[in-house]
Amino acid sequence: MKTENKVALVLGSIKGIGKGIGLFLAKKGIRVVLNYFDWEESLDELKKDLEIISTPYSIVKTNLLETDKIQDLIKTVINDFGRLDILINNIERGGWPVVHGPYTCDQWDLEMATTLRAKQWVFESSLPYLKASGDAIVINISSIAGIVGRSGPLSYIFNEGYSAANRGISLLTETWARRGAPEVRVNEIMLGIIESRHGENTRGWGLLTDAQKQDIINHILIGRTGTIDDVVKAAWFLINDAPFMSGSVIRLDGGYILGGEKVAPMPKGVL
């Protein structure tokens, strides 16, 4: 993708992964619209970080659970910058078993509405403008919860609703890639345990015992949790270096999915 004059909308960008991607794109000269709703106390720091970058930007507060507000968000992007070329669909809500305890109907509904429904309606509202770009990309941020569910060392971190929603994201990625083609590429980054998402810099991680934390690390082939920079690099690869990739999933988990199985020594055989 030629990034000159491009415009990106980054959801969930007041801190963590969304902020990291937004700042990186701004440094690359891409005009960014950074959307947030929670964590108002982090807003001043975000503004300070953006002020040292010369690229124009907007920060917009929107509750994406109110689907009638989503069209207004997209109109703001177009009114401010005249186009939309990159959508970073980074919005989720996950209930940690170790934090929230047993499931409630309200928790389930909130996770579905945030992790799955909001992504759908942001895409629907964005698609005409992404198509008009002629060379656009959508990146869905998801979780390996959609594969592992509430099992193994991550039983304390992932619950059923969050896991089900993330499995649904992969279906959306494939469907949207068909709908967007050929003008819009749609891909997915499926995250494992990242420092700011289920990792060290989160409240839930602090509630785990040292043994529980070590069980998770031992399950990751790379032997560590992921960083925001790891996610930023994967996102930039999809944006800038993967013009023939659409409908695909990059599993950025350090090998967690594979880490539970050991390779047995090769037997001598009988021949």
Side-chain angles (χ1 to χ4, degrees):
M1 172 184 283
K2 295 180 179 179
T3 56
E4 185 178 1
N5 297 321
K6 297 293 188 181
V7 175
L9 170 61
V10 185
L11 307 183
S13 54
I14 198 164
K15 65 176 190 172
I17 290 167
K19 178 182 177 180
I21 293 174
L23 291 177
F24 182 87
L25 295 181
K27 290 174 183 177
K28 290 292 185 180
I30 297 171
R31 294 166 290 171
V32 293
V33 178
L34 305 180
N35 179 250
Y36 79 100
F37 182 67
D38 297 319
W39 311 106
E40 190 86 31
E41 66 275 10
S42 300
L43 183 57
D44 287 342
E45 184 179 353
L46 174 62
K47 290 179 178 178
K48 289 178 182 178
D49 290 336
L50 285 164
E51 284 168 1
I52 63 176
I53 305 171
S54 60
T55 308
Y57 69 89
S58 292
I59 301 175
V60 184
K61 183 176 182 178
T62 310
N63 183 359
L64 298 175
L65 298 183
E66 299 177 6
T67 53
D68 58 329
K69 302 290 180 61
I70 291 176
Q71 189 63 50
D72 292 336
L73 169 62
I74 305 306
K75 287 179 180 178
T76 298
V77 176
I78 302 305
N79 289 339
D80 286 354
F81 296 116
R83 60 187 298 152
L84 178 59
D85 309 278
I86 300 167
L87 171 61
I88 307 297
N89 223 335
N90 174 55
I91 177 174
E92 67 151 26
R93 176 63 180 253
W96 292 56
V98 72
V99 175
H100 298 97
Y103 240 132
T104 66
C105 289
D106 287 345
Q107 180 68 24
W108 175 283
D109 291 345
L110 182 59
E111 291 172 15
M112 291 295 177
T114 310
T115 305
L116 200 58
R117 188 185 72 195
K119 285 184 175 68
Q120 169 71 26
W121 295 113
V122 170
F123 175 79
E124 292 289 351
S125 298
S126 302
L127 184 57
Y129 303 102
L130 294 166
K131 282 271 198 179
S133 164
D135 181 20
I137 183 168
V138 176
I139 299 177
N140 288 330
I141 306 294
S142 70
S143 167
I144 60 169
I147 295 177
V148 303
R150 185 163 65 90
S151 68
L154 298 184
S155 295
Y156 302 103
I157 292 181
F158 299 149
N159 60 28
E160 290 91 328
Y162 179 70
S163 301
N166 275 279
R167 184 167 292 193
I169 291 170
S170 292
L171 177 62
L172 293 182
T173 297
E174 295 173 358
T175 301
W176 295 353
R178 295 184 178 102
R179 292 182 59 194
E183 300 92 349
V184 185
R185 292 180 291 122
V186 182
N187 293 292
E188 180 178 339
I189 302 176
M190 181 180 286
L191 302 178
I193 305 303
I194 307 297
E195 57 183 346
S196 64
R197 184 165 298 182
H198 301 117
E200 296 90 332
N201 298 335
T202 60
R203 178 177 59 156
W205 185 266
L207 295 174
L208 299 175
T209 67
D210 288 343
Q212 289 165 347
K213 294 173 187 175
Q214 193 59 50
D215 283 346
I216 293 171
I217 300 299
N218 291 343
H219 209 286
I220 301 172
L221 294 181
I222 301 298
R224 65 170 176 86
T225 59
T227 66
I228 292 172
D229 188 54
D230 289 326
V231 185
V232 170
K233 288 176 179 176
W236 182 241
F237 165 75
L238 290 173
I239 292 168
N240 195 58
D241 299 311
F244 197 56
M245 184 179 290
S246 191
S248 297
V249 179
I250 291 178
R251 198 174 71 224
L252 194 69
D253 68 341
Y256 180 92
I257 297 296
L258 303 179
E261 299 293 338
K262 304 300 182 182
V263 180
M266 182 66 73
K268 293 181 179 180
V270 296
L271 299 179

